[in-house]
Amino acid sequence: MSTVLDSKIPAGPLKDKWDNYKNTIKLVNPANKRKHTVLVVGTGLAGGSAAATLAELGYHVKSFCIQDSPRRAHSIAAQGGINAAKNYPNDGDTVWRLFYDTIKGGDYRSREANVHRLAQVSNNIIDQCVAQGVPFAREYGGLLDNRSFGGAQVSRTFYARGQTGQQLLLGAYQAMSRQIGAGNIDMYSRREMLDLVIVDGKARGIITRNLVTGEYERHFGDAVLLCTGGYGNVYYLSTNAKNSNVTAAWRCHKRGAYFANPCYTQIHPTCIPVSGDYQSKLTLMSESLRNDGRVWVPKKQGDNRRPQDIPEEDRDYYLERRYPSFGNLVPRDVASRNAKMATDEGRGVGETGLAVYLDFADSIKRLGRDVIEARYGNLFEMYERITGENPYEVPMRIFPAVHYTMGGLWVDYELQSTVPGLFVLGEANFSDHGANRLGASALMQGLADGYFVIPYTLGNYIANNSFPAVTGDEDAFNEAESAADARIKKLLSIQGTKTVTEFHRELGQIIWDQVGMSRTAEGLRKAIDQISALREEFWQNVRVPGEPTTYNKNLEFAGRVADFLELGELMARDALEREESCGGHFREEYQSAEGEAMRNDEDFTFVSAWQHTESGHVLHKENLEFENVELTTRSYK
Amino acid sequence: MANSMNITLKVWRQAGPDAQGGFETYVVPDANEHMSFLELLDVLNEQLIKEGKDPVEFDHDCREGICGSCGVVIDGMAHGPQQRTACCQLHMRHYKDGDTIVIEPWRAEGFPIIKDLVVDRSAFDRIIAAGGYISANTGAAQDANALPIAKYNADLAMDYATCIGCGACVAACPNASASLFTAAKIAQLSLLPQGDPERKTRVRNMVDQMDKEGFGDCSNHAECEAVCPKGISISSIAIMRREYVKALAD
Ligand SMILES: Cc1cc2nc3c(=O)[nH]c(=O)nc-3n(C[C@H](O)[C@H](O)[C@H](O)COP(=O)(O)OP(=O)(O)OC[C@H]3O[C@@H](n4cnc5c(N)ncnc54)[C@H](O)[C@@H]3O)c2cc1C
Ligand code: SF4
Ligand code: FES
């Protein structure tokens, strides 16, 4: 039966909610913290910052990651920057504006109270990171520099060259390392969480697999923090690191945590296109390139002249044509969809026809090569390294790629899932970005959750509950470990004819085609059938090589692809239910005569939260109340 | 269309930490110039799985040169022939049809082999845990702009901070020294005022840990700098020595 979810938003005016919350929660006696073990799964910005902070507070923390070191979490790859409402440039930024831009950018499908808290703590993040020695870019006077990013009229993005994620993550990693050295965090690298263990209705443990020896381990404590990142790799090709997965979140989902808005995925318009079947991942090119590059395709279908041989009158600068006031700077979702339209019409470029040009010739003529080099030199170099083409001379080829997932496990204001004691942080939760995330706000959210939110909300949970001892020998642990082992054995026993990668690619293609940049009821129904058929085939015909007791990357991936095969179907279902277009979710049936997205606020101002049951998925709703902002239509014409 | 290349690979195979290892030779008949080096290994592995053999294990994650997971010795060079490039960013257009490529794991006492091309680099984490941080509890920070830092120092600190912890410096060093890795962090933190209070204990503890892990001494070969995908300068090692001497003087 479908129910309405309670997000536990504190009382009071928006700007006082977080303070009111902090003023009224119960605190844990400092001397008792040591007695509470907290399991933190994931060491990205969310998990790294949470583990460090909780250990500083005195909790006993156990931390887990897939990679050989916590420093290698996917967060390391973020390039552009992190937002905060510092208003150092004095250009009129405020907490309210950061809140408002994020709500609007999310196409009014996120929770006001959470987003406002995020904007409030954003400034503390920058202070904290500087104190840790994060070498942010500075001006000559020695103060911090800011840059502007999409979706905002103020300069509020802090950055460390093109490696902001790396520097922020190393800051968190070093804070963690200090606690590891002090014995307050037990670090378990090269571990994969395979299940959540619930004892007497509360999350009390996890089952992990040691990826080097294949051994299962039972870890237990008083709360579990899931900080395992997003599920973009369901598409096979994405800008996510290869190990990014949904497995931990999905296993929690199957144990009772609701999965919210799985259909909200973000497709970034400026990535380096696919070059062949062997392609293993996609590389993002910062969207700042659209400030000076002009996007075009040939007017004629199948025009395979070299770009420099195609005269002006045979080119279609489609973004400038369709969106005269924003031109090449339309938001991510609009730019991506238009690139798809051009290639669907057979006007794509390059060997595969799945690319559009991003041309700097005019800017180079106008500003000179030096200026362009100063602005984008490192990006041009990266492009050339990958494609072997010199973008100063021939236009870049770009194409959209999956980049971020706004959906994730449902959490309330305290970041607690529908399973008591299971908290979800960072990209793994659904909470702050609605149907579309603005640039530079994922890093902000991950660190807000870990450094500044969870210390309070976890404390409140611990102080209000009792925790009878668990030993790891309870039935729930036995059952979860046997189930994990049975799955691994099953995967290895099939010995079919198709590899894990082949299945993953096929799944990715279905989802990209039907649950990607634009969706239709018909396509989504087709996808549901195709995915369930593929899943069946997987369990009969997959070939997983090697042993369960040694390092075996294919075996790890097999388990993750199996979960993606379930998640993919839910994404399609969620997209089918949502009969409107909003943010990253574009339903062709719901567009204006000019082809722009049309929200349906009357019927769809809610979060879809899916419950897994033996007999299938059940949809629950969290109604979104907007008391402080007015819902308007985004227009970029 | 891209040209197809026939590439022969001689790959180090080793079943486990204590197993005897050796080279195996494989042919990938349909490599192409647009592939990355790791994609070539993917193609090889798909081929091996179809033949019922065990794929070659290698570490990788971001595949864009930033996570530091990847790292193999290619024809005797850590990360391969292209300078300032992690092997995940190396592309096959640097090779031609008929080439033979030899692939080995990092070899160093401090990095025991786990399987095939995968090694255990956890020693690096222990070096950082010994002191590679600034102690700043969450919530205790002052306003970020209360402490201006000269742009020159901030930029230089950033240069050293870009180390990805891949371990190529160790693999390339005739002494298997971890000096470049360790020094990069010491240099970064010593250039920032926030790092000042702990500078002496930091350098002492990190250098001691480095020695404990079985890494060799630095004797200025500079092979590390040559292979470092991030171009970390050996000037960091000079800074580390200076810091160490100053710390001992007390
Ligand atoms: C190329 C790129 C550029 C980006 N640039 C920006 C930017 O400029 N600004 C911005 O704000 N955002 C950016 N983003 C988005 C942002 O980087 C991510 O959303 C964010 O870093 C996610 O952090 P996280 O801590 O939630 O998860 P992650 O960093 O993904 O960490 C997940 C952690 O969980 C662990 N884990 C996962 N599954 C398991 C399991 N089953 N068992 C054990 N451990 C597990 C992993 O090992 C890892 O430690 C970018 C994203 C990409 C792909
Ligand atoms: S110093 Fe260079 S080679 Fe050594 S670990 Fe760091 S990035 Fe790798
Ligand atoms: S795979 Fe991340 S640096 Fe090569």
Side-chain angles (χ1 to χ4, degrees):
Chain A
M1 235 213 29
S2 168
T3 52
V4 174
L5 286 161
D6 176 11
S7 47
K8 294 201 268 177
I9 296 171
L14 186 64
K15 67 176 181 32
D16 299 332
K17 285 183 192 294
W18 181 229
D19 284 337
N20 289 349
Y21 175 84
K22 288 192 289 184
N23 290 340
T24 51
I25 54 171
K26 267 178 119 173
L27 299 177
V28 182
N29 179 336
N32 283 340
K33 286 192 180 129
R34 188 75 213 147
K35 298 181 197 145
H36 295 284
T37 297
V38 183
L39 309 179
V40 183
V41 190
T43 60
L45 288 178
S49 57
T53 304
L54 296 174
E56 285 163 11
L57 285 171
Y59 292 102
H60 175 230
V61 175
K62 285 177 141 188
S63 212
F64 306 84
C65 71
I66 289 179
Q67 293 79 3
D68 64 328
S69 163
R71 67 180 288 152
R72 304 200 204 284
H74 164 63
S75 294
I76 200 99
Q79 304 171 351
I82 176 165
N83 286 331
K86 281 284 193 187
N87 193 32
Y88 286 155
N90 197 26
D91 56 359
D93 201 10
T94 61
V95 166
W96 170 266
R97 268 186 209 281
L98 175 52
F99 155 75
Y100 181 78
D101 289 346
T102 309
I103 285 274
K104 177 182 171 204
D107 221 356
Y108 308 99
R109 290 293 175 266
S110 44
R111 205 185 272 154
E112 278 189 344
N114 282 56
V115 178
H116 195 269
R117 175 178 64 190
L118 175 65
Q120 278 176 302
V121 302
S122 66
N123 293 341
N124 303 86
I125 297 173
I126 304 304
D127 299 341
Q128 183 60 33
C129 294
V130 167
Q132 290 169 345
V134 169
F136 282 121
R138 289 178 182 267
E139 296 168 345
Y140 281 100
L143 301 179
L144 293 163
D145 190 23
N146 287 119
R147 59 162 62 144
S148 41
F149 236 72
Q153 289 166 307
V154 292
S155 258
R156 61 160 74 103
T157 306
F158 293 78
Y159 65 101
R161 292 199 191 134
Q163 290 122 289
T164 315
Q166 179 196 30
Q167 294 310 315
L168 296 175
L169 184 64
L170 293 180
Y173 159 74
Q174 286 163 207
M176 265 186 92
S177 296
R178 174 176 158 231
Q179 297 303 324
I180 294 171
N184 301 327
I185 299 180
D186 304 331
M187 183 66 225
Y188 298 84
S189 296
R190 293 205 197 266
R191 295 300 197 289
E192 180 161 16
M193 167 176 167
L194 293 182
D195 213 342
L196 175 74
V197 182
I198 300 175
V199 180
D200 294 333
K202 293 195 188 100
R204 294 299 301 274
I206 61 173
I207 303 292
T208 58
R209 184 168 169 271
N210 178 324
L211 300 177
V212 175
T213 63
E215 281 159 313
Y216 301 102
E217 300 159 336
R218 301 171 180 202
H219 299 278
F220 43 90
D222 297 339
V224 177
L225 272 47
L226 203 74
C227 316
T228 48
Y231 53 87
N233 275 348
V234 65
Y235 291 86
Y236 184 66
L237 289 179
S238 86
T239 61
N240 286 10
K242 294 297 286 179
N243 281 302
S244 297
N245 68 86
V246 79
T247 288
W250 196 253
R251 304 296 167 89
C252 292
H253 173 55
K254 292 182 108 171
R255 294 280 176 194
Y258 293 5
F259 207 111
N261 299 332
C263 81
Y264 289 164
T265 54
Q266 182 166 79
I267 306 214
H268 197 291
T270 53
C271 299
I272 298 178
V274 176
S275 68
D277 312 329
Y278 48 80
Q279 186 97 26
S280 58
K281 77 161 295 227
L282 296 170
T283 303
L284 175 78
M285 301 286 289
S286 166
E287 65 187 322
S288 61
L289 289 169
R290 288 194 283 143
N291 282 307
D292 288 304
R294 296 179 72 194
V295 175
W296 65 275
V297 291
K299 281 188 178 155
K300 275 199 315 261
Q301 281 183 1
D303 185 341
N304 46 22
R305 285 176 287 177
R306 298 184 311 165
Q308 53 272 47
D309 298 337
I310 301 180
E312 271 313 292
E313 65 270 20
D314 291 345
R315 300 177 174 194
D316 179 13
Y317 295 89
Y318 57 86
L319 290 177
E320 296 170 24
R321 173 170 58 80
R322 295 193 61 193
Y323 307 95
S325 60
F326 274 71
N328 294 297
L329 289 173
V330 291
R332 290 178 177 177
D333 50 339
V334 180
S336 295
R337 211 153 48 235
N338 277 274
K340 174 173 159 47
M341 273 154 45
T343 55
D344 283 353
E345 290 160 12
R347 300 193 292 140
V349 301
E351 278 181 18
T352 60
L354 286 175
V356 300
Y357 289 127
L358 180 63
D359 197 336
F360 292 86
D362 285 346
S363 300
I364 292 175
K365 221 178 286 162
R366 184 164 39 91
L367 302 165
R369 187 183 151 132
D370 292 354
V371 174
I372 295 301
E373 191 169 342
R375 285 186 191 163
Y376 310 111
N378 58 343
L379 292 169
F380 278 39
E381 198 187 299
M382 176 166 89
Y383 181 84
E384 186 167 1
R385 198 191 290 276
I386 294 176
T387 63
E389 288 175 2
N390 177 352
Y392 294 101
E393 278 151 25
V394 287
M396 278 187 183
R397 287 171 296 108
I398 55 163
F399 202 60
V402 174
H403 178 59
Y404 183 86
T405 53
M406 284 75 70
L409 292 183
W410 186 87
V411 290
D412 61 19
Y413 187 75
E414 297 188 293
L415 304 182
Q416 189 164 201
S417 72
T418 49
V419 175
L422 174 68
F423 294 79
V424 190
L425 286 66
E427 193 174 338
N429 74 25
F430 87 105
S431 75
D432 296 354
H433 308 293
N436 176 52
R437 175 178 71 78
L438 289 184
S441 58
L443 302 184
M444 169 172 72
Q445 183 224 333
L447 292 180
D449 289 358
Y451 284 134
F452 296 108
V453 178
I454 201 69
Y456 295 92
T457 63
L458 177 77
N460 192 38
Y461 172 76
I462 300 236
N464 276 299
N465 284 277
S466 59
F467 301 93
V470 288
T471 59
D473 296 325
E474 289 77 6
D475 286 347
F477 280 94
N478 297 335
E479 183 262 323
E481 186 182 316
S482 322
D485 183 47
R487 246 172 96 88
I488 297 269
K489 292 215 169 96
K490 169 83 184 160
L491 286 167
L492 282 163
S493 72
I494 301 166
Q495 291 303 323
T497 61
K498 258 161 85 171
T499 66
V500 174
T501 309
E502 285 172 318
F503 278 105
H504 197 174
R505 266 203 206 108
E506 248 177 82
L507 170 68
Q509 194 66 50
I510 297 170
I511 303 197
W512 176 249
D513 288 342
Q514 311 295 357
V515 203
M517 283 180 277
S518 88
R519 304 150 180 199
T520 64
E522 196 200 335
L524 291 166
R525 285 200 192 93
K526 193 168 126 199
I528 292 172
D529 293 341
Q530 286 174 327
I531 296 168
S532 86
L534 189 65
R535 193 169 58 233
E536 221 160 282
E537 191 197 337
F538 176 89
W539 284 107
Q540 274 155 23
N541 194 29
V542 73
R543 172 178 295 195
V544 183
E547 307 295 320
T549 49
T550 63
Y551 196 75
N552 185 345
K553 217 60 204 164
N554 258 272
L555 179 57
E556 290 172 33
F557 276 99
R560 297 175 199 158
V561 172
D563 290 328
F564 281 139
L565 281 161
E566 294 181 14
L567 165 76
E569 184 175 333
L570 186 66
M571 287 167 69
R573 256 193 84 185
D574 186 48
L576 187 61
E577 290 285 332
R578 188 162 285 279
E579 296 176 333
E580 65 165 348
S581 295
C582 60
H585 169 67
F586 185 83
R587 282 281 299 267
E588 288 178 21
E589 303 94 321
Y590 309 102
Q591 55 180 317
S592 67
E594 300 90 48
E596 300 309 322
M598 275 169 61
R599 276 197 333 259
N600 175 351
D601 293 335
E602 192 78 20
D603 302 316
F604 287 93
T605 311
F606 63 79
V607 175
S608 303
W610 295 89
Q611 178 190 15
H612 181 270
T613 70
E614 283 310 311
S615 51
H617 274 99
V618 180
L619 177 62
H620 303 268
K621 293 176 184 170
E622 176 198 340
N623 291 318
L624 294 168
E625 313 283 346
F626 289 90
E627 292 166 353
N628 299 276
V629 301
E630 198 190 325
L631 278 58
T632 59
T633 305
R634 298 192 307 157
S635 166
Y636 302 95
K637 284 282 168 189
Chain B
M1 285 308 279
N3 297 326
S4 180
M5 300 189 273
N6 189 307
I7 301 283
T8 301
L9 296 170
K10 290 195 167 156
V11 186
W12 183 264
R13 303 300 309 259
Q14 181 171 335
D18 306 316
Q20 172 85 34
F23 284 103
E24 294 278 338
T25 303
Y26 307 104
V27 175
V28 177
D30 50 356
N32 98 37
E33 57 180 342
H34 295 316
M35 277 178 186
S36 71
F37 187 79
L38 297 189
E39 284 166 349
L40 175 76
L41 293 182
D42 292 341
V43 171
L44 168 66
N45 278 345
E46 290 292 290
Q47 214 172 285
L48 292 175
I49 296 169
K50 295 270 178 179
E51 290 167 9
K53 299 185 181 141
D54 280 0
V56 177
E57 296 295 348
F58 60 97
D59 262 333
H60 63 93
D61 199 18
C62 74
R63 297 198 171 198
E64 45 188 81
I66 191 75
C67 73
S69 295
C70 68
V72 290
V73 175
I74 304 172
D75 291 332
M77 287 165 285
H79 285 306
Q82 197 179 7
Q83 288 233 310
R84 290 203 174 203
T85 304
C87 63
C88 58
Q89 287 207 302
L90 176 65
H91 280 70
M92 291 309 293
R93 70 180 67 88
H94 298 282
Y95 295 91
K96 55 182 193 312
D97 188 32
D99 276 356
T100 297
I101 306 174
V102 181
I103 311 173
E104 295 166 83
W106 289 166
R107 293 191 194 276
E109 194 187 325
F111 292 161
I113 292 181
I114 290 176
K115 189 175 175 184
D116 296 339
L117 305 173
V118 178
V119 301
D120 178 354
R121 288 171 291 195
S122 54
F124 273 11
D125 288 324
R126 291 187 292 272
I127 292 173
I128 298 294
Y133 49 75
I134 287 170
S135 300
N137 280 358
T138 304
Q142 58 179 353
D143 183 83
N145 258 351
L147 185 68
I149 299 174
K151 181 171 165 53
Y152 176 80
N153 283 349
D155 286 349
L156 201 55
M158 179 65 194
D159 288 344
Y160 294 125
T162 57
C163 163
I164 58 175
C166 63
C169 46
V170 174
C173 176
N175 308 338
S177 166
S179 289
L180 193 64
F181 167 80
T182 309
K185 188 49 65 187
I186 289 171
Q188 177 206 341
L189 300 181
S190 72
L191 279 158
L192 298 169
Q194 305 93 303
D196 194 51
E198 293 167 293
R199 70 190 315 143
K200 291 184 177 166
T201 46
R202 173 182 308 119
V203 68
R204 274 201 302 262
N205 294 342
M206 288 179 77
V207 169
D208 288 354
Q209 189 66 34
M210 179 173 82
D211 294 343
K212 264 190 238 156
E213 296 289 350
F215 293 109
D217 289 333
C218 168
S219 42
N220 301 322
H221 289 276
E223 298 287 342
C224 51
E225 186 185 77
V227 298
C228 174
K230 297 294 134 177
I232 302 290
S233 160
I234 48 167
S235 60
S236 57
I237 299 181
I239 296 178
M240 173 168 77
R241 286 191 178 131
R242 223 163 38 231
E243 292 286 321
Y244 193 71
V245 170
K246 274 196 274 179
L248 289 187
D250 264 9

